[in-house]
Amino acid sequence: MSILVFVEIAEGKIKKTSIEAVAYATAMGGEVTALAMGDIDQSELAALGNYGATKVIHAGDSRLNDGVILAYANVITAAMKTSGANTLVLANSSLGGSVSAHVSIKMNASLVSNVVALPETSGDFKVKRSIYTGKAFATVVLNKANKILAIKKNAVEIKETGGTASVESFEADLSDHDFLTKITGVQKATGDVLLPEAEIVVSGGRGLKGPENWGIIEDLAKALGAATGCSKPVSDMDWRPHHEHVGQTGVKVSPSLYIAVGISGAIQHLAGVNSSKYIVVINKDEEAPFFKAADYGIVGDAFEVLPKLTEAIKAANQ
Amino acid sequence: MKILVCITHVPDTTSKIAFTDGDTKFDTTGVQYIIGPYDDYALARAVELKEQTEGSITVLNVGTAETEPTIRKALAIGADDAIRVNAEPTDSLFVAQQIANAVKKEGFDLILMGRESLDFNGGMVHGMVGELLGIPSVSPVMTLDMDGFTAKMTRETEGGKESIELDLPFVAGCQEPIAEWKIPNMRGIMSARSKPLNVIEPTGNDQGATLEKYELPAAKGAVKMVSADNVQELVDLLKNEAKIL
Ligand SMILES: Cc1cc2nc3c(=O)[nH]c(=O)nc-3n(C[C@H](O)[C@H](O)[C@H](O)COP(=O)(O)OP(=O)(O)OC[C@H]3O[C@@H](n4cnc5c(N)ncnc54)[C@H](O)[C@@H]3O)c2cc1C
Ligand SMILES: Nc1ncnc2c1ncn2[C@@H]1O[C@H](COP(=O)(O)O)[C@@H](O)[C@H]1O
C-alpha cells in the first residue's frame, strides 16, 4: 500500500497535526510519502523521516504559500497519481477539510473526516470517526478503492523512528482557474498559543462578569503556556473575540488539559471539549453541570481561586 | 442574485444521543429537530443579502418527508421556495451529488451551506459540491459581503483569519459571526404555508462510505473535588496523577 500524506506548514514549520497525520499513515503500514507546498526549509521536510515518511515531495511554487483550496486539491491529486498512492491521509484542519473534499471528487475516493483511530483492514476497510460533535462514534466502511482519511487531533501517538526522508521537488500544472480565490490578507489571531491546536486551554464563561476581568484567565494561561477560550455568550457579548468561542457551534478543542472557569457546562459547550484528556472545573455553584464532565473540580469564587492557582503553578514550574 | 441555501434537519443541540437496533440506528425518541445551527447562519446571511441586492432564496434539503417542518421553518425565516430531494441522507458524497444536480438544473449564483452538519460533522459537502460543479468552495466563512459579482469574505484558519475575494459563482460553508440567527415572525410563518416546496426524486446511489455501527464514548469516572483553600492539591494531582505539568 502506498500512502500520501499532505502536510501543512505554518510559520515555516510543519504543523503538529500534520506530523500526527504522518505518524498515523506510518502506523497503518506501507510506503509513506509526504507532500508539502510553498516555501519551507528542506531540512524541515527531511525531518519528516523521523516520523516514518520515506520520501517527501515538495511543490515549492510560491503561489502555494497561501492555502488556496483549488490549487492545493490539484497538486494533491497530481501527487497521488504520480506516486501511485490510493490512500491520502491529512489533518482534519480548517483547510484540510475543504481540500480533501475537492480531492475526493477528483479521485473518486471515499472520504472520512474526524477519524479517531487506525483503520481495520482485515476484511472491509473500516475506520472509526467521531460524530455528533464528539458525543458518539461511528464505524464506517469505505466503499471505494481510493480512500481519504482526515484525522482528528490526538488520534494517534507520535512516535519517532530516527529516520530521514529524501526530498524531491514536484511540479504540478496549475492554471488561473486554480487561483480564482484571491487571498488578499492574513490576520493572525492574538495570543501566543493557538486555540485549536493547544495542549492546554483555559476558558472563561459568563461567571467572570466582564471583559475587564479576563486578566486572571490570561495570567493562568500564561503560567501554563495555554491558549485562552470562552463560552458562546462571552463572545456574543464581545467580551472576547469570536475565534475563542469553544463548543458545538464554535471551536472544538482536544487538549490534554481543559480548565473551565465560571462556565456552567451547557451541553453545547461540553460538545466542544469532550475529547479533552483531563478537565478541571472551577465554579462557585456546586450544582453546575460541568462538574459531571470534569476530572477535577473546585467549588469556589474564580476571583479568589484563580490567582492562588496561578501562583501555585508558577511555584511548581520553578 | 439567485441564492441556494442547503439546510440539514438535525437533532436539537440539547438532545441526548442514543442508538437502537443493535447500535445501527439513531434513537429519535423525544428528540426535537431543528435547522442545523450553521445552516441557520447561512440562511440568516442569505436573507440579509437578498434585502441588499434583490434576488431570491431557495432552500434545499436532501431528506425524507419528516424534514418538511424544518424546511417550512426556513421558508418562514425568509426563503422564497424550497426543494426537497426525497432520500435518506446517508452519505456525504450522495448528498453532494444530489445538491450539484439541483444546481445544474436550476442555476444558482451563490450556494451557501453550514460549515458542518451537526450530526455527522463532516465539513465535506461544500467542497464536494464545489468540485462537482467545477467552482471554488470556501469554508469556514465568518463574514461575506457582496460588491457586484465579487464577494469579500473572511475565512477562519487555525492561526487567525484570511481575507478573500472571489467572484460568483461559488460555494461557502458559513459559521458565526456571519449573521445572527433569525426567528420567524407571524407573517413569515403564515406565508411559509403557501410557498412552493418541490419534491424531487434522487438520481443515482453512489455512496462513499457505509455505516457499520454507532458507539457511545466510555462513561467518565467520578470527579475528584479539591477544596478552594487547597489549590496546591490540584497542582499535585495535575502533576502526579494526570502527568500534565
Ligand atoms: C444552538 C445553540 C448552540 C450553542 N452553542 C454553544 C457553543 O458552541 N458554546 C457555548 O459555550 N455555548 C453554546 N450555546 C449556549 C449554551 O447553551 C449556554 O447558554 C452557554 O454555554 C452558557 O455560557 P456560560 O456557562 O458562560 O454562562 P452561564 O450559563 O450563565 O454560566 C455561568 C457560570 O458561572 C458561574 N459563576 C458565576 N460567578 C462565578 C464566580 N465568581 N466564580 C466562579 N464561577 C462563577 C455560575 O455558577 C455559572 O455556572 C449554544 C446554545 C444554542 C441554543
Ligand atoms: N442532507 C442534506 N441536505 C441539504 N444540505 C446538506 C445535507 N447534508 C449536508 N448539507 C449541507 O452541507 C453542509 C456541510 O455538511 P457536512 O459535510 O455533512 O458537515 C451542511 O451545513 C449543509 O449546509
Side-chain angles (χ1 to χ4, degrees):
Chain A
M1 185 171 43
S2 167
I3 307 173
L4 184 76
V5 182
F6 165 54
V7 297
E8 285 179 59
I9 295 164
E11 317 265 317
K13 295 243 177 296
I14 309 278
K15 285 169 81 171
K16 180 162 179 248
T17 46
S18 292
I19 291 178
E20 288 185 345
V22 174
Y24 183 99
T26 304
M28 276 175 75
E31 179 93 1
V32 178
T33 303
L35 166 68
M37 297 189 217
D39 293 337
I40 183 162
D41 246 32
Q42 300 287 303
S43 60
E44 282 289 324
L45 298 178
L48 285 171
N50 191 24
Y51 309 103
T54 48
K55 191 162 96 180
V56 180
I57 52 182
H58 179 209
D61 188 329
S62 61
R63 289 178 299 172
L64 298 170
N65 285 346
D66 285 329
V68 186
I69 292 165
L70 286 186
Y72 274 36
N74 259 335
V75 176
I76 293 172
T77 305
M80 281 183 85
K81 289 184 175 155
T82 313
S83 67
N86 66 354
T87 304
L88 171 69
V89 173
L90 75 175
N92 202 147
S93 63
S94 156
L95 182 73
S98 293
V99 168
S100 61
H102 279 268
V103 177
S104 75
I105 299 298
K106 289 177 185 289
M107 292 296 292
N108 186 27
S110 289
L111 166 60
V112 181
S113 60
N114 282 316
V115 169
V116 294
L118 286 167
E120 263 178 60
T121 51
S122 48
D124 290 332
F125 189 107
K126 291 175 204 169
V127 73
K128 188 155 125 180
R129 61 169 309 204
S130 140
I131 56 170
Y132 291 104
T133 330
K135 291 181 205 162
F137 300 100
T139 300
V140 295
V141 176
L142 283 76
N143 301 325
K144 297 185 184 261
N146 291 335
K147 297 172 177 72
I148 305 180
L149 303 176
I151 315 298
K152 197 171 165 171
K153 186 172 171 278
N154 280 340
V156 279
E157 211 185 308
I158 294 177
K159 288 202 189 98
E160 304 199 18
T161 65
T164 48
S166 64
V167 182
E168 278 171 25
S169 67
F170 183 74
E171 239 168 85
D173 270 337
L174 293 170
S175 68
D176 289 348
H177 180 81
D178 295 319
F179 295 97
L180 284 176
T181 307
K182 300 265 181 298
I183 297 175
T184 54
V186 176
Q187 219 180 309
K188 284 213 311 186
T190 49
D192 302 331
V193 187
L194 300 177
L195 179 59
E197 298 178 353
E199 278 303 309
I200 304 181
V201 176
V202 181
S203 274
R206 202 143 56 176
L208 279 135
K209 313 274 188 298
E212 67 281 7
N213 297 328
W214 239 258
I216 53 171
I217 296 282
E218 281 165 348
D219 289 346
L220 178 59
K222 206 158 171 211
L224 287 164
T228 52
C230 66
S231 64
K232 184 173 193 303
V234 164
S235 69
D236 284 348
M237 293 181 294
D238 275 336
W239 292 2
R240 298 297 293 175
H242 271 283
H243 64 255
E244 284 198 1
H245 151 205
V246 170
Q248 190 155 17
T249 51
V251 180
K252 285 89 186 167
V253 294
S254 29
S256 302
L257 176 62
Y258 187 80
I259 302 182
V261 186
I263 302 178
S264 57
I267 191 162
Q268 297 98 346
H269 188 83
L270 296 182
V273 306
N274 54 18
S275 47
S276 309
K277 274 196 203 119
Y278 285 91
I279 295 179
V280 171
V281 170
I282 299 169
N283 196 302
K284 72 171 186 194
D285 174 10
E286 61 178 337
E287 302 287 324
F290 219 144
F291 285 118
K292 290 207 182 69
D295 297 279
Y296 307 120
I298 294 182
V299 177
D301 186 336
F303 297 99
E304 285 165 25
V305 175
L306 244 52
K308 283 197 270 176
L309 182 59
T310 304
E311 286 315 311
I313 283 167
K314 279 189 189 156
N317 281 345
Q318 271 167 12
Chain B
M1 183 162 63
K2 272 185 85 176
I3 307 175
L4 178 70
V5 181
C6 298
I7 60 166
T8 52
H9 161 87
V10 293
D12 179 323
T13 50
T14 59
S15 305
K16 190 171 169 340
I17 306 299
F19 304 106
T20 60
D21 291 27
D23 284 338
T24 59
K25 281 214 167 63
F26 177 71
D27 185 355
T28 57
T29 316
V31 170
Q32 298 264 4
Y33 282 83
I34 56 168
I35 301 175
Y38 291 113
D39 313 339
D40 227 355
Y41 285 125
L43 179 61
R45 187 63 189 145
V47 171
E48 292 169 0
L49 288 172
K50 181 186 151 174
E51 281 162 9
Q52 292 164 14
T53 63
E54 296 186 358
S56 65
I57 303 172
T58 300
V59 287
L60 182 152
N61 169 258
V62 180
T64 56
E66 285 156 33
T67 71
E68 290 199 0
T70 304
I71 300 176
R72 288 279 173 214
K73 187 172 167 214
L75 291 169
I77 289 171
D80 300 293
D81 55 20
I83 302 170
R84 180 171 68 82
V85 181
N86 186 28
E88 195 85 55
T90 46
D91 177 62
S92 320
L93 175 60
F94 172 77
V95 168
Q97 283 169 339
Q98 304 314 316
I99 296 173
N101 287 340
V103 176
K104 280 179 196 156
K105 214 157 79 194
E106 309 273 329
F108 291 97
D109 306 303
L110 177 62
I111 302 157
L112 298 182
M113 302 195 187
R115 76 172 284 176
E116 66 179 30
S117 56
L118 215 62
D119 43 7
F120 289 100
N121 317 120
M124 303 188 284
V125 169
H126 26 77
M128 289 176 169
V129 169
E131 190 60 40
L132 286 164
L133 295 169
I135 59 176
S137 76
V138 186
S139 178
V141 173
M142 304 170 73
T143 61
L144 191 165
D145 292 289
M146 293 307 302
D147 179 2
F149 283 103
T150 306
K152 295 202 159 93
M153 292 178 270
T154 49
R155 187 181 85 86
E156 189 173 61
T157 65
E158 279 84 16
K161 50 193 177 183
E162 285 170 355
S163 307
I164 288 177
E165 279 184 30
L166 181 57
D167 290 348
L168 296 172
F170 63 87
V171 186
C174 306
Q175 71 167 34
E176 67 159 24
I178 196 163
E180 279 186 34
W181 289 325
K182 295 196 176 357
I183 299 162
N185 58 26
M186 210 48 207
R187 222 179 87 224
I189 295 168
M190 297 303 286
S191 67
R193 291 188 192 153
S194 56
K195 287 178 177 171
L197 192 170
N198 303 307
V199 180
I200 59 174
E201 291 305 315
T203 35
N205 189 19
D206 192 7
Q207 306 265 334
T210 320
L211 176 87
E212 185 176 78
K213 66 172 192 320
Y214 292 120
E215 197 179 315
L216 290 172
K220 194 110 191 163
V223 53
K224 275 194 192 160
M225 296 306 290
V226 173
S227 156
D229 300 323
N230 190 9
V231 294
Q232 186 58 41
E233 188 187 339
L234 176 63
V235 175
D236 293 340
L237 283 166
L238 291 174
K239 203 168 178 172
N240 304 323
E241 192 176 76
K243 306 210 183 308
I244 286 166
L245 298 181

